[in-house]
Amino acid sequence: MTYATSNSRDSADARIVLTNKEAARKLGISHRTLEDWRLTSRGPRFVKLGRLVRYRLPDLLDFMDRNSFMNTAQAAAA
């Protein structure tokens, strides 16, 4: 886990950035699935730092919130 320096947000969590493998582990998916989602615009927001791809912790949490459902009918309707 690495830390980005940013003055634009107050929360310490907003400065935590994760690698592709770390983010995939947090989401409980393979890093290949996360790469596929990124390439097809289906995954969480990410940050490009030169050639590096990183994920901010709040963006992962937002992604999980947007994909949370009470039952399968809700999920199918989304």
Side-chain angles (χ1 to χ4, degrees), residues 9 14 19 26 28 32 48-49:
R9 295 189 189 197
T19 66
K26 286 263 188 220
R32 300 275 185 199
K48 237 356 211 164
L49 303 170

Side-chain angles (χ1 to χ4, degrees), residues 1 4 7 23 25 30-32 34 47 57 60 69 73-74 76:
M1 190 171 347
N7 294 331
R25 198 169 20 254
S30 77
H31 69 278
R32 300 275 185 199
L34 187 55
V47 177
L57 186 55
L60 292 179
F69 306 98
Q74 280 184 335

Side-chain angles (χ1 to χ4, degrees), residues 20-37 43-44 60 63:
N20 189 64
K21 287 184 178 182
E22 291 168 334
R25 198 169 20 254
K26 286 263 188 220
L27 294 171
I29 59 173
S30 77
H31 69 278
R32 300 275 185 199
T33 297
L34 187 55
E35 289 171 0
D36 179 57
W37 287 356
L60 292 179
F63 177 76

